[in-house]
Amino acid sequence: MRKILGISALLFVVCVVTASLSNSFLSAYNLENLIRRTALFGIISIGVAFVIVTGGIDLSVGSVVCLVGCGVPWLLTTHGWSVPAALAAAVVASLGIGLFHGLMITRLRLPPFVVTLCGLLLYRGIARGFTRDQTVGFGSEYKGLRAMATGEIPIPFVSGFSLPAPWIFLLVVAIVAAVFLNRTVFGRHLLALGSNEQAARYSGIKTGRMTVLAYVISSGLAGLGGLLFVLDVNSAQPVDFGNFYELYAIAAAVLGGCSLRGGEGTIVGVIVGAALMQVLRNMITLVTTHNNIEFAIIGAVILAGVTADELVRRMAARKRARQEAAANAA
Amino acid sequence: MNKHSTPVASSRVLSKLQILIVAPWIAGLIAALCVAGCNKSTEGGSGGGGASSGGKKKVAFVSNGVASFWTIAAAGVKAAGEKVGVETETLMPVEGISDQKRIIEDLLTRGIDGIAVSPIDPVNQTELLNRAAKRTPLVTHDSDAPGSDRAVYIGMDNYGAGRLCGDLVREAMPKGGTVMLFIGRLEQDNAKRRRQGVIDAILGRPSNPTNFDPPSGVIEGNGFRILGTLTDQFDRAKGKANAEDALAKYPDLGCMVGLFAYNPPLLLEALAQANKLGQVKVVAFDEDDATLAGIQKGSVHGTVVQNPYMYGYKSVEVLAELAKGNQAVIPASKFIDIPARQIRKAEVDAFWADLKAKTGAK
Amino acid sequence: MTPPPLLLQATGLIKSYPGVRALKGVSLTLRRGEVLAVIGENGAGKSTLMKILAGVQQPDGGSIAVDGREVRLSSVLDAQALGIALIHQELNLADNLDVAANIFLGRERLKRGLIDTRRHLEDARVHLAAVGLSVDPATSVGTLSLGQQQLVEIAKALSVDARVLIFDEPTSSLSSSEAANLFRVIEELRSRGVGIVYISHRLGEVKALADRVVVLRDGENAGELPKSGIEHNAMVRMMVGRDLSQFYAHEPHPPGPVALEVDGLRTAAHPEHPLSFRVHAGEIVGVAGLVGAGRTEMLEALFGVTPPVAGVVRVAGVEVQPESPRDAIRAGLALVPEDRKRQGVILQMAVRENVSLAALQRDSRHGFLDRVREDGLAAAMIGSLRIKTPSAEQPVQFLSGGNQQKVVLGKWLAMKPKVLLLDEPTRGIDVGAKHEIYRLMEDLAREGVAILFVSSELEEILGLSDRTLVLHEGRITGELSRNALSEEAVLHLATDTEALA
């Protein structure tokens, strides 16, 4: 909980600072935009968080976003597939990619970094291959499908503000993920495996299967994210669609308290981390007139957050050691 | 979980099951890779071989990235190749400047009878371009490298095209107002000049391509306030977010100008979601389908189109002559103008029909 | 005759780690040309003391004097400057560099800004001669034997003019001839006036080498023996604080039916030697042998960590194929592994989560955790095993070694195993907790659990087991009943045909 407290405080501070510098920040329109973007990035970040909890890494997220984001409109508009068929293909492809990663990592014992790095190259390449580098999009069609990402759900008794549809997806994903991680045997096994794979195996946990599951979740949510991204933006160019999104997702997960050494992580923290990234980008556009320093600011804030967190943790450990020493001496 | 089966049996069965699940996947991936690979080899022009194999000259057309714009240009390249009887090849670098350098170097290594290139960073690529120009006829298209030894620049004057775009803004907002500019990135020469042309035309400054207003900071004059220039580094989600943030920051924004081909459609997406279509004027660049549809519907005031088909066509024509040793095709100005045009509601239908004809309208 | 001058004097050293008070006021003195042995059980504080003397760690209290002047050793460099060097249990050499480069690592001699390799080689030869090592200094360290590497470490220490050399378990991974050579080098160093602090578990070595013995127990000085008083039983008495007969409250157990039957088991490490033996319910069987005899490999094969390549395993008459720990656990086996922190517990997780880890699935409702049952289980184990922890939610990393080991035991007791395998169950835990672990093992045997335990501490084997298997290079070289059990008999079988030193 303490870790979420820190990042939440940081988010709060950034929000207060932005609101005081820009009147538009708290406008309903801007908040709706922020919630929608946070939801989109939050979904892919939660997926990556599962892999990070096991002590692994998934660098292929951005490319899976690209594959699904380009694949679905390509199947629909170029090949005339029906919506259910195209969505089924997206589900099969993204889950299949996760399964493929997981088995390469657990059965062939290849390092996750290498497997998913190759995935990063592979899936974008495949997307570019089948689209022949053409921009794909929905044009003015598929309004119903696109409502998944662009639709808004009115809140009773509140006018002028409605919830963007992706928020519903995020909420469902987050609740299922949190219950899974904290309330089920599988979740506990996943955390145990991330903290100490050997000890988990010695305790009779099917570590291989749990690892595979984590990668399936990661790719599956990347696929869902890719679908929602393209439905929101309406067009996708395979060369750059979803570029670097794996890094945004990993950054959000780490900001949210997932240790890259594994075994730690909370879903709420990841969402807060994703929100922080989006608010920072929003802030830079709203309160400054040049957005080219955006990455510098995001990098600096993340570094500061992570550093502060590490210092607090060390102070707590030192305090604890002193207390124990005193207790023992007594 | 199989609590009742014996442990050994269950683990064996499982591994078989997993293989069954994975096998089609791996097969699928391999198949996809093969298809991708085949496509590439067919796209790469008819047959490998060195330059001048079989007597036919061979020229290459190198873009600055991947876009539908370049697909139209590729159609022009192909048409001209067939007409003047040279082999052609269109190459699109995917990873920016280093990829473009690799492509040019590979072409030189392999042997080629002429290269047309749209340099990504003209100032810093001069050395590479000069090296290429020593070994083969070299022309620039779309974006010029005036400091290099290229034989000629084929394209439009981006500054002039920008001014055409700025004139559309003044047309759309006769009483002046606030304007926001959206662009992929600013380091390319054509992007800088295009943006400057827009600004100078809006402010009613006399034509001077050497002007430069820094991208941060508000520029005012002539009844207009140009609030800023937002870049997105080709990340479309970011491009849309830029549009949304601009709408949030300036609720009374008058006009949005999308300067790269994919920017106007993103502006329209953001406006549609904010229920501000038609309320905020949109002025566009290039001929994305969504942009043209927007002009038809009235949500886009107009767009400035280049003629990528002619870039490709003219480049091949010139290179074919140069390869034969005919220098007469080079004008004294070293500039072959392929002028840009303004497309408004009145012109859009005819323009679109012609475009579909040229690209073979799949 | 006046005694030689004092080199090193430590007084009242105190050091605490989270959860453990490692030193509670330890003192010792070392004179020129003296070999001082420091002995004590695991967890007595020897390693901590040595780290403080070598400047690796800083004490919370007490003082250190070198040549009669009080000093502060705030780093290894400080200690080195005063002529104190530590030869680690795990050697600290760079395998990929040559001998000379290792000797001068960190203080390379330069010539015109570049490393003066020729001078390195020449100087290294002198230092190597001093420790009786005849290898070319340009040899890569990775190609040397462990004993030779150790001599390189000593040569490295001598090259900085070390006057105090601290050896931490130097013979633990040496062959007997390598050990004999090391002893010759130590004798030579002593005659040159170097002071030597020698830590070892091997009382035979201590008796042969030491001029004086300091015994530590539970972080305190338990006593000191002069050269004339160095004798096996006296040392053991001081180390454990009571007679062995009291310490191991062994009573023979009437063995029940066969609980574990192993027939022709071949491990992946030693596939050439089939292993066959039985353990009865209620019986405690010890497994003795030297490091590398294949004891851990045998337990790991039984538990499915590294599945056996051949052989039959039956638990209570039912045949088991241990393909994974999961299979072994289902069959009623449990393993308390050798490396507690890496294989036994999950340090970041709470006591509760560790104790429930193996039983989680059994106690769940359709895959969902049953917190009531989990809390109940944790509370029951904390109570019955007397795990000292502020609460069930305490992360295991803040518990002492003994309590961590009890958490591992608790995890397995929750599964009610038929056969309990233990690998070095008391390594690195203090005397009090050791005693409790022994008592628990006795209790479990009395309740009918079959116990098979591996230990490198002969006293433990002698004190606890009803029967003892001795392994040597992957083979069972003998089985000793309680009557036939003696240190000599075990050592004889453990070294097989090799004559005892």
Side-chain angles (χ1 to χ4, degrees):
Chain A
M1 277 325 269
R2 191 192 57 74
K3 288 204 85 167
I4 306 179
L5 219 64
I7 177 84
S8 305
L10 187 58
L11 177 62
F12 183 73
V13 169
V14 172
C15 285
V16 168
V17 168
T18 314
S20 67
L21 293 173
S22 161
N23 300 328
S24 334
F25 180 71
L26 291 177
S27 70
Y29 174 66
N30 194 52
L31 291 181
E32 284 173 18
N33 287 336
L34 276 175
I35 289 172
R36 193 174 56 248
R37 292 175 210 161
T38 300
L40 294 175
F41 280 98
I43 287 169
I44 62 173
S45 304
I46 289 174
V48 170
F50 271 95
V51 167
I52 291 178
V53 158
T54 69
I57 194 85
D58 190 346
L59 299 176
S60 72
V61 169
S63 291
V64 174
V65 165
C66 172
L67 184 69
V68 173
C70 296
V72 168
W74 181 71
L75 289 174
L76 289 173
T77 59
T78 313
H79 287 259
W81 284 34
S82 68
V83 171
L87 293 188
V91 170
V92 169
S94 47
L95 296 183
I97 285 171
L99 185 64
F100 172 64
H101 290 166
L103 292 177
M104 295 297 269
I105 289 159
T106 55
R107 289 292 159 101
L108 297 187
R109 307 203 179 281
L110 298 178
F113 191 96
V114 174
V115 171
T116 59
L117 180 65
C118 294
L120 178 148
L121 302 170
L122 196 56
Y123 312 131
R124 182 174 301 280
I126 291 173
R128 293 187 50 200
F130 66 66
T131 58
R132 302 193 176 200
D133 279 345
Q134 294 304 297
T135 301
V136 289
F138 302 103
S140 51
E141 306 294 310
Y142 300 101
K143 290 273 191 236
L145 182 62
R146 289 198 55 211
M148 279 169 67
T150 57
E152 306 207 318
I153 295 132
I155 306 172
F157 313 115
V158 179
S159 62
F161 180 83
S162 42
L163 269 179
W167 181 250
I168 304 298
F169 282 92
L170 176 69
L171 208 62
V172 172
V173 166
I175 289 172
V176 171
V179 168
F180 180 84
L181 201 57
N182 300 312
R183 294 265 182 274
T184 69
V185 174
F186 303 108
R188 179 72 65 76
H189 283 181
L190 212 59
L191 288 168
L193 147 74
S195 301
N196 185 339
E197 177 169 6
Q198 245 188 330
R201 201 159 78 85
Y202 275 70
S203 301
I205 292 170
K206 289 176 185 159
T207 50
R209 206 182 286 186
M210 299 312 299
T211 306
V212 172
L213 185 64
Y215 284 91
V216 170
I217 292 172
S218 176
S219 293
L221 289 181
L224 175 62
L227 178 68
L228 293 176
F229 270 115
V230 76
L231 292 177
D232 179 37
V233 178
N234 197 24
S235 74
Q237 164 52 248
V239 173
D240 45 48
F241 195 70
N243 228 353
F244 291 130
Y245 284 12
E246 57 278 341
L247 298 184
Y248 299 145
I250 292 167
V254 170
L255 271 176
C258 293
S259 161
L260 284 178
R261 270 158 279 169
E264 277 177 57
T266 62
I267 302 300
V268 181
V270 174
I271 297 173
V272 175
L276 178 61
M277 304 267 297
Q278 295 312 312
V279 172
L280 278 173
R281 298 180 85 170
N282 183 243
M283 175 188 91
I284 292 154
T285 316
L286 288 189
V287 306
T288 72
T289 50
H290 38 108
N291 64 349
N292 41 3
I293 53 162
E294 158 182 304
F295 290 106
I297 291 190
I298 292 177
V301 171
I302 293 178
L303 197 60
V306 175
T307 309
D309 198 77
E310 184 61 33
L311 292 179
V312 169
R313 187 197 300 240
R314 277 194 205 168
M315 255 154 59
R318 217 170 295 154
K319 193 172 153 199
R320 184 166 206 145
R322 266 201 306 275
Q323 279 170 352
E324 303 241 349
N328 282 329
Chain B
M1 318 244 84
N2 337 252
K3 257 183 189 149
H4 302 293
S5 59
T6 70
V8 180
S10 75
S11 78
R12 299 252 160 86
V13 167
L14 256 170
S15 63
K16 266 188 199 151
L17 219 148
Q18 284 170 348
I19 291 168
L20 276 177
I21 296 170
V22 195
W25 244 98
I26 293 176
L29 279 174
I30 292 169
L33 279 174
C34 289
V35 171
C38 295
N39 282 343
K40 197 171 181 192
S41 61
T42 52
E43 270 168 17
S46 37
S52 318
S53 72
K56 255 192 175 182
K57 299 280 183 187
K58 189 166 178 182
V59 301
F61 184 85
V62 182
S63 76
N64 65 3
V66 180
S68 52
F69 180 84
W70 293 117
T71 318
I72 302 170
V77 168
K78 203 165 162 240
E82 280 159 13
K83 186 178 163 247
V84 303
V86 294
E87 276 185 38
T88 61
E89 186 174 5
T90 301
L91 296 155
M92 306 188 189
V94 295
E95 281 143 24
I97 191 158
S98 60
D99 213 24
Q100 191 178 54
K101 177 164 186 274
R102 179 187 62 79
I103 287 174
I104 293 172
E105 285 167 349
D106 286 354
L107 285 171
L108 294 175
T109 312
R110 216 175 60 189
I112 191 85
D113 299 308
I115 299 176
V117 59
S118 168
I120 294 173
D121 182 355
V123 175
N124 297 309
Q125 278 176 312
T126 305
E127 194 195 333
L128 170 75
L129 296 174
N130 288 351
R131 228 183 316 140
K134 275 205 190 80
R135 303 182 44 181
T136 190
L138 179 82
V139 303
T140 52
H141 62 83
D142 175 49
S143 178
D144 192 17
S148 74
D149 301 341
R150 59 37 184 173
V152 66
Y153 167 54
I154 298 166
M156 67 172 181
D157 172 15
N158 264 294
Y159 180 78
R163 287 197 74 102
L164 290 178
C165 186
D167 291 341
L168 284 175
V169 174
R170 288 176 66 173
E171 241 174 67
M173 303 175 68
K175 292 181 200 148
T178 51
V179 180
M180 193 69 154
L181 308 180
F182 300 87
I183 195 162
R185 53 183 179 205
L186 267 178
E187 51 273 39
Q188 289 157 241
D189 189 56
N190 61 345
K192 281 182 200 152
R193 290 167 64 97
R194 185 180 297 179
R195 171 177 166 277
Q196 198 58 45
V198 175
I199 293 170
D200 288 357
I202 291 175
L203 300 186
R205 295 176 183 162
S207 178
N208 179 6
T210 57
N211 280 349
F212 182 69
D213 292 292
S216 56
V218 176
I219 311 160
E220 266 180 289
N222 203 18
F224 285 92
R225 265 173 77 85
I226 299 170
L227 297 164
T229 307
L230 295 177
T231 60
D232 55 52
Q233 313 302 324
F234 294 134
D235 179 345
R236 276 158 209 254
K238 173 66 181 161
K240 179 164 177 259
N242 279 343
E244 290 167 350
D245 290 347
L247 288 173
K249 188 176 180 182
Y250 306 108
D252 56 347
L253 186 63
C255 180
M256 302 169 101
V257 183
L259 287 176
F260 275 13
Y262 64 87
N263 289 124
L266 296 177
L267 300 180
L268 293 174
E269 283 300 322
L271 285 170
Q273 275 177 36
N275 288 320
K276 283 187 169 175
L277 271 181
Q279 211 172 315
V280 180
K281 302 286 179 196
V282 175
V283 172
F285 222 99
D286 294 333
E287 56 280 312
D288 194 282
D289 283 356
T291 306
L292 298 177
I295 297 177
Q296 283 179 330
K297 277 186 241 154
S299 49
V300 178
H301 174 74
T303 186
V304 173
V305 297
Q306 312 177 58
N307 197 341
Y309 184 87
M310 277 313 286
Y311 291 179
Y313 195 96
K314 199 75 192 170
S315 293
V316 172
E317 244 182 18
V318 169
L319 285 175
E321 290 303 313
L322 290 175
K324 286 186 220 153
N326 175 9
Q327 299 287 332
V329 286
I330 310 285
S333 64
K334 304 246 170 151
F335 172 44
I336 297 175
D337 191 16
I338 313 281
R341 282 195 291 155
Q342 291 169 324
I343 304 288
R344 300 178 193 77
K345 201 161 185 172
E347 298 95 347
V348 71
D349 291 337
F351 171 76
W352 207 349
D354 177 52
L355 184 67
K356 281 177 180 161
K358 276 177 182 158
T359 51
K362 304 178 275 182
Chain C
M1 179 179 127
T2 55
L6 271 181
L7 266 179
L8 182 68
Q9 182 168 27
T11 317
L13 294 179
I14 295 172
K15 177 76 184 171
S16 294
Y17 301 114
V20 193
R21 276 182 84 202
L23 297 181
K24 304 172 192 169
V26 169
S27 305
L28 63 74
T29 57
L30 178 70
R31 291 178 187 279
R32 267 180 64 96
E34 181 183 39
V35 177
L36 172 71
V38 176
I39 62 171
E41 298 240 294
N42 284 327
K46 292 168 303 187
S47 293
T48 307
L49 176 61
M50 296 312 131
K51 283 180 191 156
I52 287 174
L53 292 181
V56 179
Q57 289 185 335
Q58 284 67 53
D60 299 334
S63 65
I64 299 170
V66 175
D67 296 329
R69 272 185 304 116
E70 188 161 322
V71 292
R72 275 182 66 87
L73 304 175
S74 48
S75 72
V76 177
L77 284 178
D78 280 3
Q80 273 179 4
L82 290 163
I84 304 173
L86 173 65
I87 311 291
H88 271 279
Q89 201 166 354
E90 295 97 19
L91 302 173
N92 289 325
L93 295 174
D95 276 356
N96 53 335
L97 298 182
D98 66 28
V99 171
N102 266 290
I103 288 177
F104 296 106
L105 196 62
R107 33 191 193 90
E108 283 77 6
R109 313 279 162 87
L110 297 183
K111 188 169 155 190
R112 289 193 295 269
L114 300 175
I115 290 177
D116 187 349
T117 314
R118 179 177 299 179
R119 186 153 159 233
H120 271 191
L121 294 175
E122 281 165 13
D123 292 357
R125 235 169 243 126
V126 176
H127 296 303
L128 290 177
V131 297
L133 181 59
S134 53
V135 298
D136 183 357
T139 322
S140 165
V141 160
T143 63
L144 301 182
S145 75
L146 277 176
Q148 289 173 317
Q149 291 189 16
Q150 194 162 47
L151 292 177
V152 173
E153 278 260 27
I154 298 171
K156 183 176 170 181
L158 294 179
S159 75
V160 289
D161 299 320
R163 295 175 303 146
V164 176
L165 275 183
I166 304 171
F167 288 92
D168 189 4
E169 301 276 1
T171 57
S172 58
S173 43
L174 298 191
S175 73
S176 50
S177 62
E178 284 175 333
N181 185 48
L182 176 68
F183 299 155
R184 266 197 304 279
V185 172
I186 289 178
E187 295 286 354
E188 164 71 20
L189 293 173
R190 164 163 56 189
S191 69
R192 284 167 46 189
V194 176
I196 289 164
V197 180
Y198 191 90
I199 302 174
S200 182
H201 265 118
R202 304 192 173 177
L203 300 182
E205 286 172 7
V206 170
K207 193 170 152 92
L209 272 178
D211 298 314
R212 195 155 54 92
V213 173
V214 165
V215 184
L216 299 186
R217 185 173 68 233
D218 256 346
E220 287 172 299
N221 287 69
E224 203 173 308
L225 296 166
K227 177 106 188 149
S228 56
I230 300 177
E231 182 263 325
H232 186 268
N233 283 343
M235 287 191 280
V236 171
R237 225 179 353 260
M238 277 189 179
M239 274 161 61
V240 300
R242 70 201 100 175
D243 282 334
L244 277 182
S245 53
Q246 288 171 350
F247 196 59
Y248 301 98
H250 182 87
E251 43 184 282
H253 316 103
V258 176
L260 175 68
E261 188 176 357
V262 178
D263 197 359
L265 184 84
R266 291 172 191 266
T267 64
H270 299 281
E272 68 281 13
H273 298 304
L275 303 168
S276 301
F277 60 90
R278 293 163 173 210
V279 184
H280 294 261
E283 191 182 26
I284 298 183
V285 174
V287 180
L290 300 179
V291 171
R295 300 170 299 170
T296 296
E297 289 80 356
M298 179 177 87
L299 294 193
E300 290 191 339
L302 286 173
F303 197 61
V305 175
T306 315
V309 292
V312 178
V313 178
R314 289 191 196 86
V315 176
V318 181
E319 191 170 327
V320 187
Q321 294 270 358
E323 291 288 325
S324 72
R326 194 177 173 78
D327 298 337
I329 293 165
R330 279 190 198 164
L333 290 165
L335 171 68
V336 175
E338 180 180 16
D339 191 338
R340 185 174 59 240
K341 289 187 180 177
R342 281 173 49 198
Q343 301 161 342
V345 290
I346 294 174
L347 289 169
Q348 302 92 315
M349 283 192 152
V351 172
R352 163 177 60 82
E353 291 166 311
N354 269 282
V355 165
S356 69
L357 199 54
L360 216 49
Q361 196 142 18
R362 185 195 65 196
D363 291 352
S364 70
R365 283 168 305 163
H366 313 296
F368 286 89
L369 300 176
D370 185 338
R371 272 301 293 269
V372 177
R373 286 179 79 167
E374 194 185 357
D375 288 337
L377 179 66
M381 288 303 162
I382 289 171
S384 66
L385 300 181
R386 290 197 276 163
I387 300 172
K388 261 192 256 166
T389 173
S391 84
E393 300 307 314
Q394 179 84 340
V396 165
Q397 59 186 324
F398 300 116
L399 301 189
S400 70
N403 283 301
Q404 288 179 355
Q405 194 69 303
K406 287 188 203 169
V407 169
V408 179
L409 274 168
K411 173 172 74 183
W412 294 126
L413 297 190
M415 299 300 287
K416 303 204 166 30
K418 298 189 183 81
V419 179
L420 182 59
L421 312 170
L422 301 106
D423 198 351
E424 305 284 4
T426 61
R427 173 167 288 178
I429 66 183
D430 57 39
V431 177
K434 247 182 192 179
H435 189 55
E436 286 189 78
I437 302 275
Y438 298 149
R439 223 201 51 237
L440 278 167
M441 287 166 66
E442 294 278 355
D443 290 349
L444 288 170
R446 210 171 298 119
E447 287 164 23
V449 178
I451 294 177
L452 183 68
F453 82 105
V454 164
S455 176
S456 294
E457 291 189 39
L458 264 182
E459 288 86 356
E460 220 166 79
I461 300 262
L462 297 176
L464 280 172
S465 50
D466 295 308
R467 208 149 46 85
T468 301
L469 303 173
V470 186
L471 262 68
H472 173 70
E473 290 177 357
R475 212 151 45 83
I476 297 181
T477 49
E479 186 180 324
L480 299 165
S481 68
R482 184 145 188 94
N483 307 335
L485 196 57
S486 71
E487 195 164 328
E488 290 72 26
V490 170
L491 279 176
H492 186 71
L493 290 168
T495 52
D496 201 25
T497 49
E498 259 184 84
L500 281 170

